[in-house]
Amino acid sequence: MNLASQAGDDQSDLLFVNFNQDCTSLAVGKKSGYKLFSLSSVEKLDQIYENACEDICIVERLFSSSLVAIVSLSSPRKLKVCHFKKGTEICNYSYSNSILAVKLNRQRLIVCLEESLYIHNIRDMKVLHTIRDTPPNPHGLCALSINNDNSYLAYPGSNQIGEVQIFDTINLRAVTMIPAHDNPLAAIAFNAQGTKIATASEKGTVIRVFSVPDGQKLFEFRRGMKRCVHIYALAFSFDSTYLCASSNTETVHIFKLETQKETSGRAQEEQSSWSGFMGQALNISKNYLPGAVSDMFNQWRAFAVCKLPSQGLKNVCAIASIQKIPRLLVASQDGYLYIYNLDPNEGGECTLLRQHSLDGRITEGGMVSEPPGSAADRPLIQASNPISYAGSVRRPDSGSDSTPPRGHTGKPHPSLSSEMPRPYSSSPKKDTALPKASTSPWRLESYATVLHQGHSGPQMVGSQEISEIDIILDGRDYSPLPGSYSQPFQEFEGGATGHDVGNAGAGLQALRLDDDNEFPPMTHKVE
């Protein structure tokens, strides 16, 4: 959840908060750097890493590995891929506009701009495909499946209605378009298997679940009748049994994804009771009611709910298995992580078990492993008129506007292209310290400066030539931190290791500048 819209508030220090792909850790971006926490226990929140350098507005960790992708508020167009255990930067890319979201899985890295998406091969960070001229997406709304076999990307197909575009990031082709809602999308999320996608619109009353890739509607849940509700986050449990939804209200809803057979079986058990009799009567009467009314009877209600201490604050939710027990986790803009108990059989109202401060201070309702750093907590304050992250940063002036007319036909977008991308990349020397933040948010480093940081050749590990990212992905990271581990990914075959440009002089001659592009790519040409 990007909270950078609050950057103008002096009392706000939290810029970003999000769970990793399997909800085993929590990443927090702040004005003073970023932190990573382990979610292995309810009783305490173990801090496994802290970087106190620059204002980090996006930080995404790849599962439990040491690979993180970060974006700073002072350089919102630059993506840095880092090895956080070594404190080194692996590579960086700069783009023509502010980065609004970054998504990772074991094969792909997605960079979302307001009107384009870049699909990188995570092995060597090469740009495989560029989706240009997408409908305006100022909040950077997109989702990436974490499954290797169903590595789908979802993004809004329109800014007028709730269309979801599904794109195959492995075969690099558009798959389908799902007409999910009448209003623009507010939240989307894949399940862990990549076979279902949940959607919510800006209206916020109905949440729908569709099958992927065919786009058939499977479930429809009603969050409530209240208007003007903004859904902040949707998240499946790892086994796809539950779906949680958080909003700007104080209530987080949990829905249970039951099939018709399971529902009918439970109804037969309850039909002897008074509530079961009334349910049968309503089920029969809905056949004689208008379509809009009967649709409401088909929308399932929440299986469980929890109450947050406050409302109106941005938050992100997840259902995680902590010590083999399902828990509801909510990380809020007030600077706290709330952990609730979830009864998988009865549902009902969830009980608050612990609350942990995200700044390393001990709180009354919970505890963290770090010593206290200040005298008092300062809660984040919600702005009366919140703006998007794209609206909170200054864009560079453009001499001419060549943007094509914005619209959508309801079909897979015709502007999907695989042309050479605009961002450039650099890769510093081994074990080079992370550079400090630029004082100018729009400063682009010259190619001479990039080359001074070191060539982009692969590192040598034993007798094999393996890139830094390959080492992390293959589980050969030999610098563990206490309380953390690198998860091996055995399903990978040997990935690309980059291209060595030789010595510095040859590297300067190997660079070719494309004057037709405002932000030309760095290309390596073999003489």
Side-chain angles (χ1 to χ4, degrees):
M1 170 62 66
N2 201 322
L3 309 177
S5 60
Q6 300 296 316
D9 186 1
D10 293 337
Q11 292 184 336
S12 297
D13 188 44
L14 197 64
L15 299 179
F16 181 89
V17 61
N18 199 18
F19 300 98
N20 68 338
Q21 293 85 354
D22 55 3
C23 296
T24 57
S25 69
L26 178 70
V28 177
K30 306 174 66 177
K31 289 183 178 180
S32 56
Y34 71 93
K35 296 181 179 182
L36 299 175
F37 296 95
S38 173
L39 299 175
S40 59
S41 173
V42 173
E43 301 300 325
K44 62 179 182 178
L45 189 63
D46 288 320
Q47 179 177 302
I48 59 178
Y49 182 75
E50 180 178 9
N51 183 293
C53 57
E54 49 189 339
D55 45 355
I56 302 300
C57 59
I58 296 177
V59 51
E60 295 283 354
R61 184 185 184 189
L62 179 63
F63 289 89
S64 296
S65 73
S66 55
L67 184 72
V68 291
I70 61 175
V71 178
S72 67
L73 198 61
S74 58
S75 299
R77 298 186 297 175
K78 178 182 287 187
L79 170 71
K80 297 179 181 179
V81 180
C82 302
H83 189 303
F84 76 83
K85 294 179 183 177
K86 293 182 178 180
T88 58
E89 179 182 316
I90 299 173
C91 64
N92 69 72
Y93 272 74
S94 290
Y95 300 83
S96 60
N97 210 333
S98 299
I99 300 172
L100 305 181
V102 177
K103 303 296 180 182
L104 305 170
N105 65 20
R106 291 164 179 159
Q107 301 190 60
R108 298 291 182 256
L109 183 147
I110 308 298
V111 176
C112 179
L113 310 186
E114 185 172 358
E115 294 185 352
S116 58
L117 291 139
Y118 290 89
I119 302 174
H120 294 257
N121 179 15
I122 201 168
R123 283 281 181 173
D124 52 17
M125 283 302 294
K126 291 181 179 179
V127 180
L128 303 176
H129 196 87
T130 305
I131 304 175
R132 298 189 184 278
D133 304 322
T134 62
N137 185 14
H139 299 288
L141 180 62
C142 63
L144 178 65
S145 169
I146 66 173
N147 187 276
N148 288 343
D149 298 326
N150 301 312
S151 183
Y152 295 116
L153 169 66
Y155 62 95
S158 171
N159 63 339
Q160 303 296 325
I161 58 176
E163 293 181 348
V164 184
Q165 290 281 356
I166 306 295
F167 188 87
D168 186 346
T169 64
I170 301 300
N171 300 309
L172 303 177
R173 62 182 181 87
V175 176
T176 188
M177 185 279 295
I178 302 175
H181 301 272
D182 294 331
N183 297 286
L185 294 172
I188 51 178
F190 283 104
N191 67 338
Q193 295 75 29
T195 57
K196 296 182 179 68
I197 184 171
T199 65
S201 71
E202 292 181 353
K203 189 175 180 180
T205 56
V206 175
I207 297 168
R208 295 187 174 99
V209 178
F210 300 88
S211 62
V212 178
D214 55 14
Q216 296 296 317
K217 186 172 71 174
L218 301 177
F219 302 95
E220 187 170 280
F221 304 104
R222 177 162 292 275
R223 191 209 57 82
M225 298 297 296
K226 185 178 179 180
R227 300 273 180 172
C228 301
V229 172
H230 186 87
I231 302 293
Y232 286 137
L234 297 171
F236 288 90
S237 61
F238 195 78
D239 59 359
S240 301
T241 302
Y242 303 99
L243 172 68
C244 62
S246 64
S247 65
N248 59 347
T249 69
E250 72 280 2
T251 305
V252 178
H253 295 77
I254 302 173
F255 305 96
K256 193 170 185 180
L257 280 64
E258 296 179 303
T259 62
Q260 285 295 118
K261 184 177 181 180
E262 294 171 337
T263 307
S264 60
R266 189 176 61 179
Q268 290 178 357
E269 295 177 358
E270 296 177 351
Q271 65 182 357
S272 58
S273 64
W274 174 254
S275 60
F277 174 76
M278 291 298 297
Q280 275 190 324
L282 289 173
N283 198 33
I284 294 173
S285 63
K286 72 180 182 181
N287 297 323
Y288 303 97
L289 297 173
V293 179
S294 62
D295 286 344
M296 292 181 60
F297 283 102
N298 292 325
Q299 294 167 351
W300 298 359
R301 301 289 175 167
F303 171 74
V305 296
C306 80
K307 299 292 184 180
L308 298 175
S310 59
Q311 61 180 350
L313 298 178
K314 290 183 178 180
N315 54 71
V316 59
C317 61
I319 299 176
S321 179
I322 301 178
Q323 297 172 346
K324 299 182 179 181
I325 300 176
R327 307 294 189 188
L328 173 65
L329 310 179
V330 182
S332 176
Q333 193 178 9
D334 61 5
Y336 290 94
L337 171 67
Y338 301 96
I339 303 180
Y340 292 84
N341 180 49
L342 172 61
D343 189 333
N345 298 320
E346 300 297 330
E349 186 165 351
C350 301
T351 305
L352 177 63
L353 300 177
R354 287 289 188 276
Q355 71 178 57
H356 300 290
S357 173
L358 298 179
D359 56 8
R361 291 193 292 266
I362 298 176
T363 66
E364 182 179 354
M367 57 181 296
V368 293
S369 60
E370 294 296 312
S374 62
D377 290 334
R378 290 190 301 176
L380 297 171
I381 300 175
Q382 172 73 3
S384 58
N385 185 21
I387 59 176
S388 67
Y389 170 58
S392 66
V393 294
R394 178 173 59 87
R395 299 183 184 177
D397 295 332
S398 177
S400 62
D401 186 6
S402 59
T403 304
R406 299 173 180 174
H408 188 63
T409 61
K411 300 179 179 179
H413 213 277
S415 58
L416 301 177
S417 65
S418 56
E419 56 183 288
M420 285 298 295
R422 293 185 178 182
Y424 68 87
S425 66
S426 66
S427 187
K429 295 179 181 178
K430 179 180 179 182
D431 291 337
T432 303
L434 284 171
K436 294 184 178 180
S438 168
T439 55
S440 171
W442 303 117
R443 184 179 68 86
L444 290 177
E445 297 176 352
S446 65
Y447 285 109
T449 303
V450 172
L451 286 176
H452 180 68
Q453 296 176 356
H455 63 78
S456 59
Q459 293 192 16
M460 298 296 294
V461 179
S463 61
Q464 296 180 347
E465 205 173 38
I466 305 173
S467 69
E468 184 84 6
I469 297 180
D470 280 324
I471 298 173
I472 298 173
L473 292 176
D474 291 332
R476 285 168 281 186
D477 180 14
Y478 305 119
S479 57
L481 288 174
S484 65
Y485 63 96
S486 292
Q487 178 175 335
F489 306 130
Q490 302 297 333
E491 64 271 22
F492 268 112
E493 298 178 357
T497 59
H499 180 71
D500 195 347
V501 298
N503 56 49
L508 284 172
Q509 296 176 1
L511 293 178
R512 177 177 61 83
L513 301 182
D514 186 353
D515 296 332
D516 294 335
N517 292 332
E518 181 183 0
F519 298 94
M522 174 183 285
T523 57
H524 301 150
K525 184 173 68 174
V526 180
E527 298 294 343

